[in-house]
Amino acid sequence: MDIRQLTYFIEVAKHKSFTKAALALHVTQPTLSKMVKNLEEEMEVTLFDRSSRQIELTDAGAVVFEQAQKIVVSLDDLTASLYDVMNLKKGKIKIGLPPVISTLFFPTIIAEFQKAYPEVTVMLAEDGAKKVEQKVLEGEVDLGFVMLPVDEEKFDVVPFVHEEIKLLVHESHPLAHRETIDLIECKDDPFLLLSKEFTLNGRTIEFCLSEGFTPKIAYESSQWDFIVGMVEKNLGITLMPKLICERSKNGPFKTLSLTNTFPWVLGIISAKNRYLPYTSRSFISLVKDLPKV
């Protein structure tokens, strides 16, 4: 058994397809199938149930999958530790973050980081907060920027931004002349939300329910600027962080405060009990030293 066999097996298990795994690994399907077959013969178990169109892990395969991921992660940590000793200011850092965060903060953050560490490559993966959390746990990214709270049994957390959630409406909205409202006054309005993979989606719905109504969701999108554009066309209202609302002040909008609201708290997360590379630690230190929003 070697690490490549385990890596190939993990990829097939994740994709539930030899074809998709082969594409992801940039190898031929026969090569991949042979590698997995050799692993099965060596371990004297069947790892995949191939009887249906979509392959599934057998009971033995599920056990191997869980342990194989730990082995690969441990080897990655060892490699990263040695690399840090040999190349203290070189390398790369992979960061997962939602598009809202990348738009608001990352041009400044990356500019400052690249100034301090010009030989470090910064790789960004834009996804909803829930996917970012999963990628951090699986080691696909080193750090994640997400809306808090998260499960602190799984993640180490460094708070980053604390913002107020506001209501963004079209200037012709019946309540646009007010400065502060109770959200229940908008119970009949169509709501525009970030899509379900974003934490703000669930938090918005929970907040509406706590205010005494179920929101009528008209549209969901993964792009905050698309949602703001829909408000501009008077197609609904949305709850957004204060910073987003401030970016829209030159359009036909009105930003309203809520009698009751909830915070938009961002944090940098890393997987608990995982080795944190020098580049990641340096990145966190730099972000902590930047002026707070």
Side-chain angles (χ1 to χ4, degrees), residues 133-134 136-137 150-157 269-274:
E133 288 183 30
Q134 193 62 36
V136 170
L137 286 176
V150 295
D151 186 346
E152 295 195 22
E153 291 187 1
K154 296 179 179 178
F155 301 103
D156 289 318
V157 180
I269 61 170
S270 56
K272 193 173 283 292
N273 301 322
R274 284 278 304 276

Side-chain angles (χ1 to χ4, degrees), residues 245-291:
C245 294
E246 287 178 346
R247 286 198 167 205
S248 309
K249 62 184 178 183
N250 294 325
F253 306 103
K254 182 68 186 295
T255 299
L256 306 180
S257 296
L258 299 171
T259 306
N260 297 313
T261 187
F262 61 98
W264 189 61
V265 183
L266 304 181
I268 309 172
I269 61 170
S270 56
K272 193 173 283 292
N273 301 322
R274 284 278 304 276
Y275 173 76
L276 196 60
Y278 173 83
T279 49
S280 298
R281 283 179 272 138
S282 300
F283 188 90
I284 291 173
S285 295
L286 180 141
V287 172
K288 287 170 69 175
D289 291 338
L290 289 175

